[in-house]
Amino acid sequence: MKNVMNKKELQKFIQKNLKSGISKDLSERIFTSRLLGSNFNLILHGGGNTSVKSKTKDETGEMHDVIYIKGSGSDLRTIDQSGFPAVKLEPLKKIMNKKFITDETMVKYIRKNLIDPSSPNPSVETLVHAIINEKFVDHTHANSILEITNRPDGITLINKLFGKHFIIIPYVMPGYLLAKKVFQMYKRNKNLHGLILFRHGIFTFADQAEISYKRMTSAVSKAEKFLRKEKVKKIPRINMNNLNISASEVAPILRKHCSINRDYVINFRKNKILLNNINCKNIESYLSEGVITPDHVIRTKPKPLIMNLNHFKNINSMEKYISHKFLLFKKDYVKYFNTNKPRKKLKMLDTVPQIILVQNLGMFSLGRTFKESVINGDVAEMSINTIIRIQERSKFKSIAKKDIFNVEYWSLEQAKLKKEAKQFEGKVVIITGGAGTIGYATAKKFRENGAEVIILDKDRQKIREIQRNTEFFCYVCDVANRAFYKKILSKICLTHGGVDIVVSNAGSAVQSTMIEITDKELKKSFDINFFSHQIVASESTKIMIKQNKGGCLLFNISKQSINPGKNFGSYGTSKAALLSLCKQYALEYGQYGIRSNGINADRIQSGLLNKKMLKERAKSRNVSVKTYLSGNLLNREVYAKDVADAFFHLATSYKTTAAVYTVDGGNIEASMR
Ligand code: ZN
């Protein structure tokens, strides 16, 4: 591991920060924390924390000795001063005299001693940092250290390697008891550079940020060097076979088995190293041992679900096997829960796996959101690769199952999970014509309510713009082309696992009388206003049926479907066919819990009803544009947002199908019933 400290850069950083009132201590702390955070072999998605002891004033101007410690929710790679809440140091030391306090009491007590009560929660490892006398403390879950500690002879190896400047703390669950243990052992030893937390990670410390960082990099480098020199044995792999099935076909089936109690996003990944490791013959026994560092259990569960689909010719024949595998996983998890649960009442977490490995195919990772599915995948990938590297050298050993359980069901972790989920969390929504006014307003509406939204549009420029400025998933796609849509849908199955809601919104309009319109123009209108919807609906419905969790088709029809306008025949006739299509889907797929509903909107300023067309439509009715736009029973102009709200309303109307909802400010000729 390279020491990437740059003193000049640090000085510049300190000077710049001093101007904004950030102290030298804190600047140094931020600077080396970021260095640690940008090394994924040390810190992955929040797995580590740093601190500095300093002084600061409270609101009354009174000066306090404090510890700035990483708060929860921050990433060391990008952390700034707001990620380091200041806690009064003396009270933290005082609480160490207690025999025992619960972790909830500890968290409350630490919060009570914050300088700014609105700060994020200080790390659960705050007390460990506080009892160490040195000014700067760095803590990581470095892979190379774990690769050495997580073996049967881990303690002997570490002692041999690190000698007198490091002591080994036996495994204790993070929280008050760990702080207590560290306190006892730290007091007894002099001239320490750091601590190795057995099967958990490493602490280094010093009075200068730079030295603590250097102690971390040199300890990790030492471990890396040791690993490089070790003899590596070949462990047997299964034969590489090309499966008859792709990951995009498997994903919706997995979603069916996972989404019993809630919706999950499922993300797929594969690469040469990961696949080679998943293909180990004994992968099941290696990975059943447990996790490499305790907090991984929150992301990966104690073990993944492993499948081998090599012998199956097609998807139908493997369904029974997959379902059986899920059942076994659940049984096993329930057993683990019942064996390890304490006497007090504890609610069992969802029994579905978080990580699913398919040999010869790759890894699927679940998450309540897309982001979480990727983080869980990152943690699992790193952990699987580490475990196999250990197996190639020795034998992987984890902490005891009971200890894994205690972290998985730790009240402090449970509290994080209990956060109120947004209504559509875990739901995948595709919006066609999503870069247009109505499509984009709809995308925003669903996203605000927690859904994972994927925007499709033909307009490359607009897609690029949205991609640049938002977090939406975007694809350029011509939905009138079946092969094109299928390709994009497969990609979505790989990134998100499938689809729950489709807002089929793409449309176009030309003006002409029926005797003047060319066949080509009329066919083109049907292509986009009817056939593209059929393509999107049919391909998406196939996925929804595979997922077996219902689904929702939402069509942007138009009031033209029942109340045609002059010179607008190509639009009206194709939209009338679309209305019929919407009903047909409701009729045929209601049995699968798939709902099909539509919106008849009218006179909304958009790409389709642009300024030029607005003028022409207003002229054809002999009124001004303003009167045209609010020419309805309520005399109110209708906006894209109103249509978005209506789509959302229909998506949440779980007992409604084959319904068409008008969003037109009131138009009696266009009223449905
Ligand atoms: Zn830790």
Side-chain angles (χ1 to χ4, degrees), residues 49-54 65-70 87-96 106 109-110 122-138 179-180 182-183 186 195 203 205:
N49 40 60
T50 56
S51 66
V52 58
K53 295 169 192 84
S54 186
D65 284 328
V66 294
I67 180 167
Y68 288 101
I69 172 94
K70 193 201 129 184
V87 193
K88 289 174 203 158
L89 195 55
E90 280 319 307
L92 296 186
K93 289 188 172 167
K94 234 190 225 162
I95 195 85
M96 293 314 297
M106 175 186 79
Y109 182 79
I110 295 173
S123 157
V124 291
E125 278 155 346
T126 297
L127 291 180
V128 179
H129 287 254
I131 53 106
I132 292 169
N133 292 328
E134 282 79 355
K135 193 176 173 84
F136 289 89
V137 180
D138 295 351
K180 201 88 185 153
V182 170
F183 189 41
Y186 173 81
L195 319 163
F203 276 81
F205 33 79

Side-chain angles (χ1 to χ4, degrees), residues 517-531:
I517 193 162
T518 64
D519 288 348
K520 202 176 157 197
E521 272 175 327
L522 189 58
K523 275 183 181 154
K524 199 178 151 205
S525 179
F526 268 79
D527 260 345
I528 187 70
N529 295 319
F530 175 76
F531 282 105

